[in-house]
Amino acid sequence: MEIIHDVKTLRWYIKQIKLKERTIGFVPTMGALHDGHLRLVQKSILQNDITVSSIFVNPSQFNNRNDFKNYPRETESDISKLEMINCGAVFVPSSDDMYGEQDALNFDFGYLEEIMEGKFRPGHFKGVGLIVAKLFNLVKPDRAYFGKKDLQQIAVIRKLTAELLFDVEIVPVNTVREKDGLAMSSRNKLLSKEDRVHAGALYMALNKAREKLIGGENVNSVKKYVTSLFNADSKIKLEYFEVVQTSNLRNILNIDKNMDVSLCIAGYLGNVRLIDNISLN
Ligand code: AMP
């Protein structure tokens, strides 16, 4: 596996691949890799000649300094994991490589920044958009892989790709979960042992809500039910629970059987922020 630390070497490496007319699959990550990340890489390896992954804890997408500071960093073991599954190359840049003194570009994703993750993490998607645009420009992938765990991120990336005319296919990948249903996340490593026991509650709530909606209960009453699960005694402090149309993330009040619907949830367990979603259909 090629381990590339700077932009110049990456540009040269990508040029060689393009000269040979090989397809490139790309998996951007912030590291502290788990089986969810590796599933993306494996899917890319199956579908492309060369798979490039990146590991970069992107400062511009953190709206909370402590979250950025505490984010797990495990580059050495990440590189070994990627090597083990035969990833073609990994790009591990420094902040100076990715950002100039002061980037002036300011993406605006409109509605997507006003709801759910956008609402609770102001500026987050501007940072995601900026780093993914930079990485797409460098890696020039034919396909790029993103986890459905971050459903709203996929919508943002699709918008970015469409508006900037990136010639890349966005491939969503199913969420990989722990035994108790907790969606794998690098942030799970920050949970205390005691809190970890409670973390499966988000996925349980999503499934109970799904059952109720399928049983015909209306959206507002299901929302009240989920809110009541995370009352003052609950270890998890709920930020939001939303029922949305998967394609555009618009809120839904009445479920139509032909609609693709997603149930999205976020909350804090201690000071660790967890998000998850499942599809209704
Ligand atoms: P991150 O390192 O958290 O920025 O995630 C990098 C990529 O991995 C994103 O596309 C995530 O959506 C995806 N990802 C994170 N967790 C999971 C998971 N449990 N299952 C599938 N994909 C995931």
Side-chain angles (χ1 to χ4, degrees), residues 2-44:
E2 298 292 328
I3 303 166
I4 300 170
H5 287 281
D6 64 289
V7 167
K8 198 172 158 203
T9 312
L10 180 68
R11 284 204 165 113
W12 180 85
Y13 175 78
I14 297 295
K15 204 168 172 182
Q16 305 311 306
I17 298 172
K18 294 282 174 189
L19 278 173
K20 292 179 198 147
E21 296 188 4
R22 295 199 168 145
T23 57
I24 298 176
F26 179 44
V27 183
T29 82
M30 296 207 299
L33 301 183
H34 49 68
D35 285 353
H37 295 113
L38 299 183
R39 185 73 60 85
L40 270 61
V41 175
Q42 280 160 334
K43 188 154 186 181
S44 171

